[in-house]
Amino acid sequence: MRVDAARELLYCEEQRKTLFSAVDSSLLDQTVQVLLQVTLDVPNQAFLLFILDQIHSRWTDGEKASLSSLTFLGKLLDAHPALSQTLTSSRLCVLECVCSALLVSDEDVKAAVCYVMFRIWSCAPAIQTLPDTLRQRMCVLLLHTLSHTHTTALTVNCLGVVKQMCQYSDVVCVLMRDLKDGGEDPLPYQPLPLILKKLLLSTQDSLQVVSVRCVCAVLIHAPLHFSSSFIQADLPGVEPLVRSLKETLGKSNTEVQIKGLELLTAILDRQPAAVRLFPTGSEFSAVCDVIVEGVASSCLQVSMCAVRAAAVLLRPNHQSSPVQLADVRRIVEVVMFKITEHHHTRNRESCSGSKSVTAGVLLQMLTCFDAACRLVEACVCDSTLKDGVCSVQETLESVCVFLLHCCDAACIPAVTGVCERVSSPQVLQLFLSVLSCQFSLCPDHMTSFSKKLVFMCDWCSLVT
């Protein structure tokens, strides 16, 4: 059928109805394309409203929303973005019918509904006129659909809508709260954090990626509040979280970076010791990449969050087999660089108000360094870990010497510099723990090192 012929047919209302009915009856793609082309060739608001009315009349005359009509509506919104606002204002009845179609059993139809909803939520003017009651109903319907979906296509489409919704903080609050309280015969659904947890555990990359994006989209709004919801949901999906962190660390939103690192730390901290998160070296290295980048951040808060994550990651139960000593060294190197950098920066400052902050920062870094020393000590003493050490790039002996050098070149100057300005028993106690490890790790190098320690002990007795 030619476009110009179709245009003439559309001048007559009866013929116009006949042509439009083909969309529902025959599923002819050609007819859909002709109708779309005519709407572009004849940019007439009245004609677009006529089409919406025809769709609504068929749905209210006993016919269910079909896949063909929903697909056509989605393509119509693509061709005429401003039509989204029409749906949320003068033709709200059509949008209500679209939402109700999420309750049918056909998942292809539901996926088409989600596409229409995605176009609506991609139009800011449309959302401004969308009633609050329908916003909340959309949230419930999407959570209900996500809780019972069986196909990847529908899941991805649903999450696409959720991510668009998460641009609005008020909608995020609705998605994250328990909507079932106070409702009459509510639709059964799972909480959003639990839904995303299950998707993070799936074996499909597409689902993992889109669920991580949804987590990040939620955390942008009131991250302190919403991060606790995800932590309480006990999210164990490390790989997709690491992938998301790697993406966010390259951007400027430090709040998301901080909350992502806090979530990673919580996962590492809560993981049962008997269940290893990193069965292979590549998985462990991927986490190290993110932590190293986080520690190196110019934002002190992000850096400290990454240091705390590193301290937990360096526990023996989190090591892959074989133990990746080269990755352990990478973490220690960047932490030591930060200690030295922070020490020099604070030495140039004379503000007394920064003294406690300096001691707290050093304490975090020493905690991480102490964890690294104890890990290597465990590798030396524990035959199970020792046999699993990767010796391609590093040996236990070379790492032990490296740790001793770090203690000498970075830790001693930083500790003395901080404790000269403020008394910090916690810093000294942790530092002495680090020194104790050095004697067990490098007994052959202790003669020259002990000379410094004699001075250190005399100095410690003076400042305490």
Side-chain angles (χ1 to χ4, degrees), residues 70-214:
L70 287 166
T71 301
F72 172 66
L73 180 58
K75 291 182 178 180
L76 196 64
L77 293 175
D78 278 337
H80 303 275
L83 200 58
S84 295
Q85 189 174 5
T86 302
L87 282 176
T88 59
S89 54
S90 64
R91 293 300 185 273
L92 194 62
C93 56
V94 178
L95 186 56
E96 290 172 342
C97 289
V98 170
C99 294
S100 297
L102 279 178
L103 297 175
V104 304
S105 58
D106 191 328
E107 297 213 343
D108 289 332
V109 170
K110 292 180 181 180
V113 170
C114 289
Y115 186 80
V116 172
M117 292 175 66
F118 179 84
R119 300 311 309 170
I120 297 294
W121 283 93
S122 299
C123 178
I127 300 307
Q128 292 175 1
T129 58
L130 183 65
D132 290 339
T133 53
L134 191 53
R135 285 191 187 203
Q136 180 162 316
R137 177 163 171 74
M138 285 183 174
C139 291
V140 173
L141 287 169
L142 281 170
L143 292 175
H144 170 74
T145 304
L146 278 169
S147 300
H148 300 88
T149 181
H150 298 95
T151 62
T152 301
L154 177 56
T155 303
V156 170
N157 280 23
C158 279
L159 290 178
V161 180
V162 170
K163 185 174 179 296
Q164 286 297 113
M165 285 179 156
C166 287
Q167 295 180 79
Y168 304 91
S169 57
D170 58 325
V171 179
V172 172
C173 293
V174 173
L175 285 169
M176 292 295 289
R177 77 176 186 226
D178 190 354
L179 295 175
K180 293 177 284 188
D181 292 341
E184 296 182 3
D185 191 24
L187 291 171
Y189 66 88
Q190 297 172 336
L192 182 60
L194 183 59
I195 291 171
L196 296 177
K197 166 190 172 179
K198 291 182 177 180
L199 296 176
L200 286 169
L201 289 173
S202 71
T203 57
Q204 299 185 52
D205 288 344
S206 60
L207 295 181
Q208 290 178 343
V209 170
V210 71
S211 58
V212 163
R213 288 174 179 168
C214 286

Side-chain angles (χ1 to χ4, degrees), residues 237-398:
V238 172
E239 184 181 350
L241 177 60
V242 168
R243 189 183 305 135
S244 173
L245 274 170
K246 193 168 185 65
E247 180 179 339
T248 57
L249 283 170
K251 299 179 180 178
S252 59
N253 194 325
T254 57
E255 198 65 35
V256 175
Q257 297 168 14
I258 289 169
K259 293 308 169 186
L261 288 166
E262 287 179 348
L263 182 58
L264 175 62
T265 304
I267 291 172
L268 293 171
D269 189 50
R270 295 175 61 170
Q271 181 70 10
V275 182
R276 292 189 179 274
L277 281 173
F278 313 108
T280 66
S282 61
E283 293 171 330
F284 184 84
S285 295
V287 180
C288 287
D289 289 340
V290 168
I291 287 179
V292 166
E293 187 174 354
V295 174
S297 171
S298 58
C299 174
L300 183 61
Q301 286 181 292
V302 173
S303 183
M304 288 303 98
C305 285
V307 168
R308 285 191 286 271
V312 182
L313 179 68
L314 292 174
R315 292 174 184 172
N317 63 288
H318 285 316
Q319 304 312 300
S320 63
S321 182
V323 176
Q324 304 298 306
L325 289 179
D327 288 321
V328 174
R329 177 167 181 155
R330 283 198 300 138
I331 290 176
V332 173
E333 282 178 338
V334 70
V335 172
M336 291 300 101
F337 176 80
K338 276 291 179 179
I339 285 182
T340 303
E341 180 184 60
H342 192 69
H343 171 57
H344 291 326
T345 300
R346 292 310 181 192
N347 277 347
R348 293 193 297 267
E349 296 176 355
S350 58
C351 178
S352 60
S354 66
K355 292 178 180 178
S356 60
V357 176
T358 302
V361 168
L362 180 59
L363 185 64
Q364 292 291 337
M365 294 180 179
L366 282 177
T367 300
C368 181
F369 184 63
D370 184 56
C373 293
R374 292 187 178 280
L375 171 61
V376 176
E377 188 178 33
C379 290
V380 171
C381 301
D382 190 328
S383 59
T384 305
L385 283 172
K386 188 173 183 178
D387 293 339
V389 168
C390 181
S391 58
V392 175
Q393 296 173 309
E394 296 285 351
T395 65
L396 273 174
E397 183 179 1
S398 67

Side-chain angles (χ1 to χ4, degrees), residues 33-54:
Q33 292 303 320
V34 167
L35 282 171
L36 287 174
Q37 188 60 50
V38 170
T39 64
L40 292 171
D41 289 349
V42 187
N44 185 291
Q45 180 69 11
F47 175 54
L48 293 174
L49 292 177
F50 165 77
I51 292 178
L52 293 180
D53 291 338
Q54 287 296 304

Side-chain angles (χ1 to χ4, degrees), residues 399-428:
V399 173
C400 291
V401 173
F402 164 72
L403 293 175
L404 178 63
H405 173 73
C406 291
C407 185
D408 184 19
C411 294
I412 289 180
V415 171
T416 54
V418 166
C419 292
E420 281 175 352
R421 295 191 296 269
V422 59
S423 176
S424 181
Q426 286 181 304
V427 168
L428 287 176

